[in-house]
Amino acid sequence: MEPGICYIKPEYLISEANGGGQTTSNDGDSNKRKHEEEADAQNETGNKRGGGKKERKRGQNKNRPVFKDERFSHLCHSLIDGPGGETCTLANCRYVHDLDAYLAAKGEDLGNECYVYATKGYCGRGVTCRFAKSHTDAQGRNMRGKDYDEQKPLTTCNGISAELQVRLRKHDYDFSRSKEVIKQAEKLRDERKQQAKEKAETAEEEPRQADVEPAIGSAIDDSPSGRDAPRKPVIDFREKLVLSPLTTVGNLPFRRICKEFGADITCGEMACAVPLLKGLGQEWALTKRHETEDIFGVQVCGNNPNVITQAAQVLHETARVDYIDLNIGCPIDLIYQQGGGSALMRRTNILELAVRSCAALSDKLPFTVKMRTGVYADKSVAHELLPLVEEWGASAVTLHGRSREQRYTKSANWTYIEQCAAQAKHMPVIGNGDILSYEDYVERRALAPHVNSVMIGRGALIKPWIFEEIKQQKIWSPTSTQRFEMLRRYCNYGLEHWGSDTKGVESTRRFLLEWQSFLYRYIPEELQLSPPQKINSRPQKYRGRDEMETLMSSSNAADWVKLSEMLLGPVPQGFSFVPKHKANAF
């Protein structure tokens, strides 16, 4: 059998006679080539390199269309609860004040029940809700349910308050703590450099005595973040299933789904330090946390230790977070070229200051680091960095078994992950890469016995129930009905999170479609010739056991839109969708 192909049982294969292209049990290679050519044609045309060979597209679809709907015009908040509400007092209010015209443009309701109203007893979107008839009276006024408790705590926290936003924008926030720990970190770094210099000079004169020579970084042993200091007891990162921080698709509704399936630790999408310090609402939205996320962290990205430390300080002081993670593995070109993400693996002086200072901010705030094997495929450096990061005070390190250069094109190197994990003295090491089944989990843990926990990213996007499989130690193969109900829950959570008005519905649809660009890759075990499915394998052309399963397996974005319409109603006129990631735009 050809590698990289998931072979399907003959009875589920689609033959050329059925209009699906020629796919039999021994033509996987031709099907794979056809699959790749379709991906190239759909993503970008005419892009060629040496010899006229088409380049396989990777990274982002940066030129994907941005859909704008005029119905997104906001109704003035004074009219949210319907006729007879407050009077708008703003002289230059830019929102809509003609309630009848707004309601006419809003269109028909998408359903008879508003999930937000049904679960909370009140829908804050009022008459703008696309399910408003379920909670408006005969006069069109927004109602509150009998059991609605206005004093009940919100189910979602974090984000940014208006007061904090003003303080950050006026540079009125007190960052004296950050400045102090940065000074201490610079002093310790300079001491380490001086010590290393003296050791190098001494080594030229006397034989090195390994049993008495202090380790690099021992100058910080007396500090709270030193390598021999007790580990911070706030979170035990050992033997946990961690959901990876996933840009775009790792949003709050998706994390709720993963928590329901057994994820132990969740982390928000990567937030850039500079926009956080500027008080940008869109960046602070990435810090939001649902009440079901009992262990929750925020991942930050930056290229300057002062900025990273200040972002960590303001998160610690104003948000409910259990830990902060520093991303030094992000492969995105823009981040890398600015010296952030995986570029920090080469800028060790900057990295040392960032880790030392953030780890020293608070004994109650664990600071962790997520890295790759290195920048280049043929030059791994994580085995050198990981012990240093521990000495600098990190509470845990996650190691993704690929380099920046490899992105996701090669299998994760768990042998190397084990080599690195074995060097940690006290710090937990979390392994990450290519886990899509319980069998993958068992195999990787056997390969890397020094790895304390496992982080799952793409595997959770394709099979969010993977956490449950691992905990129950058996494969679960949900029916198409069960998978559709999972999507329904996701949409409900999306309407609760992004809003049930037109803008919220379309935001939920967009994120659902981005997730579906991963979900369609799941192949039910009963259809596979030799399960379990491997994460980088692609299937032969196949049909499901019923129409819904076939629709869910489609690689055509138009079919993903059909699924969204079953859950969120018809798409607006002129709607189009191209996945953010080229690898998913088959």
Side-chain angles (χ1 to χ4, degrees):
M1 292 186 176
E2 294 286 340
I5 299 171
C6 181
Y7 286 89
I8 304 297
K9 291 178 179 179
E11 59 267 34
Y12 297 108
L13 289 174
I14 299 177
S15 66
E16 187 176 14
N18 291 330
Q22 199 172 32
T23 54
T24 61
S25 59
N26 58 5
D27 73 344
D29 191 52
S30 63
N31 181 59
K32 184 182 179 185
R33 287 196 302 272
K34 180 175 182 293
H35 196 61
E36 293 172 356
E37 289 168 1
E38 289 174 352
D40 290 339
Q42 182 167 341
N43 289 321
E44 290 180 28
T45 58
N47 185 6
K48 299 182 179 181
R49 60 182 178 185
K53 182 180 179 181
K54 277 190 176 181
E55 178 185 0
R56 287 196 65 190
K57 304 302 180 291
R58 305 192 186 284
Q60 290 188 351
N61 278 313
K62 295 180 180 177
N63 295 323
R64 62 191 185 280
V66 177
F67 175 76
K68 294 183 179 180
D69 191 339
E70 293 181 356
R71 293 179 300 169
F72 285 3
S73 298
H74 289 288
L75 184 70
C76 179
H77 196 270
S78 64
L79 295 170
I80 285 290
D81 283 334
E86 303 174 2
T87 302
C88 180
T89 58
L90 297 177
N92 299 314
C93 181
R94 58 191 177 93
Y95 296 119
V96 177
H97 293 86
D98 188 336
L99 180 59
D100 293 334
Y102 177 88
L103 294 177
K106 186 183 77 167
E108 292 295 321
D109 277 9
L110 299 177
N112 297 322
E113 181 179 89
C114 172
Y115 173 79
V116 179
Y117 180 76
T119 54
K120 298 179 178 297
Y122 174 70
C123 175
R125 303 295 171 172
V127 296
T128 69
C129 174
R130 296 306 304 277
F131 309 86
K133 289 181 181 177
S134 64
H135 51 78
T136 52
D137 60 19
Q139 287 73 42
R141 293 173 297 193
N142 197 31
M143 299 186 297
R144 285 170 168 76
K146 295 180 180 179
D147 300 327
Y148 174 66
D149 182 4
E150 196 169 353
Q151 303 301 319
K152 188 177 180 180
L154 298 175
T155 56
T156 300
C157 63
N158 296 347
I160 187 169
S161 66
E163 182 268 337
L164 175 60
Q165 193 171 52
V166 170
R167 289 173 62 193
L168 289 174
R169 291 181 175 180
K170 290 186 175 182
H171 305 285
D172 194 33
Y173 198 92
D174 182 9
F175 287 113
S176 56
R177 285 181 62 209
S178 295
K179 294 175 182 178
E180 181 62 30
V181 294
I182 282 285
K183 287 180 182 178
Q184 294 174 2
E186 289 174 339
K187 180 180 178 182
L188 293 170
R189 182 192 62 181
D190 293 342
E191 288 177 0
R192 179 183 66 80
K193 286 184 175 181
Q194 181 62 30
Q195 184 185 39
K197 180 180 179 181
E198 292 173 357
K199 284 170 59 178
E201 293 172 351
T202 304
E204 295 178 359
E205 301 173 2
E206 300 178 4
R208 184 176 183 272
Q209 299 179 1
D211 55 335
V212 297
E213 198 71 25
I216 294 176
S218 60
I220 66 169
D221 283 356
D222 294 332
S223 76
S225 58
R227 64 180 177 88
D228 293 330
R231 294 295 91 189
K232 297 173 183 177
V234 183
I235 299 176
D236 184 2
F237 288 98
R238 293 172 171 82
E239 299 303 323
K240 297 294 192 296
L241 296 178
V242 187
L243 175 64
S244 179
L246 300 160
T247 302
T248 303
V249 279
N251 46 64
L252 185 146
F254 173 74
R255 299 198 303 270
R256 288 183 66 177
I257 294 290
C258 291
K259 284 298 295 183
E260 291 173 355
F261 282 122
D264 296 313
I265 299 177
T266 55
C267 187
E269 303 170 60
M270 182 184 75
C272 293
V274 170
L276 287 175
L277 294 177
K278 287 183 177 179
L280 299 186
Q282 61 202 38
E283 208 71 18
W284 276 89
L286 305 180
T287 72
K288 289 188 176 180
R289 169 187 190 168
H290 192 260
E291 63 181 4
T292 57
E293 298 182 89
D294 48 345
I295 305 178
F296 172 75
V298 170
Q299 186 182 71
V300 296
C301 175
N303 59 9
N304 181 295
N306 296 283
V307 171
I308 293 170
T309 306
Q310 289 178 7
Q313 179 191 334
V314 73
L315 283 169
H316 174 231
E317 293 176 347
T318 65
R320 285 180 51 199
V321 295
D322 298 307
Y323 69 98
I324 293 177
D325 184 70
L326 175 64
N327 186 326
I328 64 169
C330 178
I332 297 173
D333 291 340
L334 179 62
I335 300 293
Y336 178 78
Q337 290 163 3
Q338 292 178 346
S342 53
L344 283 176
M345 297 188 73
R346 303 175 61 191
R347 306 173 69 210
T348 50
N349 285 337
I350 300 298
L351 178 61
E352 179 176 357
L353 287 181
V355 175
R356 282 190 190 276
S357 55
C358 290
L361 273 174
S362 170
D363 288 336
K364 301 299 182 183
L365 182 69
F367 186 75
T368 63
V369 176
K370 186 173 188 289
M371 65 174 69
R372 285 183 175 242
T373 59
V375 175
Y376 305 108
D378 59 350
K379 188 178 180 181
S380 297
V381 298
H383 64 283
E384 300 171 355
L385 275 180
L386 191 143
L388 291 174
V389 167
E390 178 177 14
E391 292 172 358
W392 299 337
S395 297
V397 162
T398 300
L399 178 55
H400 181 178
R402 274 179 282 257
S403 67
R404 174 188 184 265
E405 193 174 64
Q406 289 172 319
R407 300 289 177 107
Y408 294 94
T409 60
K410 304 294 182 183
S411 297
N413 189 343
W414 278 81
T415 302
Y416 182 70
I417 292 177
E418 166 60 15
Q419 176 188 338
C420 297
Q423 298 185 58
K425 294 180 175 67
H426 308 290
M427 178 184 67
V429 176
I430 304 167
N432 175 219
D434 293 351
I435 294 180
L436 187 60
S437 65
Y438 168 64
E439 288 92 337
D440 288 340
Y441 173 83
V442 173
E443 179 184 336
R444 303 306 192 277
R445 292 304 299 267
L447 277 173
H450 286 91
V451 167
N452 303 100
S453 293
V454 165
M455 177 177 283
I456 304 176
R458 283 186 302 161
L461 290 172
I462 298 169
K463 288 172 55 173
W465 54 89
I466 187 174
F467 304 102
E468 191 171 283
E469 284 189 355
I470 292 172
K471 290 187 173 181
Q472 294 184 357
Q473 301 183 22
K474 63 180 182 181
I475 294 295
W476 180 54
S477 184
T479 64
S480 59
T481 301
Q482 290 171 316
R483 291 162 64 192
F484 188 77
E485 285 305 310
M486 176 188 71
L487 296 181
R488 188 185 301 280
R489 293 203 311 276
Y490 176 86
C491 290
N492 286 336
Y493 299 158
L495 295 174
E496 181 181 343
H497 182 58
W498 290 298
S500 55
D501 57 356
T502 298
K503 185 175 181 179
V505 168
E506 295 311 314
S507 293
T508 301
R509 190 192 308 277
R510 283 279 173 178
F511 286 109
L512 172 66
L513 292 171
E514 292 287 0
W515 184 23
Q516 184 60 31
S517 74
F518 288 91
L519 273 175
Y520 87 91
R521 295 186 183 185
Y522 169 67
I523 309 165
E525 277 70 17
E526 290 82 356
L527 276 59
Q528 299 177 45
L529 201 59
S530 302
Q533 174 187 357
K534 296 300 180 183
I535 199 163
N536 285 330
S537 295
R538 295 293 181 264
Q540 300 166 283
K541 193 78 172 180
Y542 73 97
R543 59 178 173 80
R545 291 163 291 182
D546 54 50
E547 290 185 11
M548 179 59 71
E549 194 167 77
T550 301
L551 183 63
M552 288 180 166
S553 69
S554 173
S555 59
N556 189 340
D559 289 328
W560 308 342
V561 173
K562 290 179 185 176
L563 271 173
S564 80
E565 291 184 314
M566 295 178 187
L567 295 158
L568 297 167
V571 297
Q573 187 176 3
F575 180 89
S576 62
F577 174 74
V578 175
K580 183 175 181 179
H581 300 282
K582 292 181 180 179
N584 298 341
F586 293 129

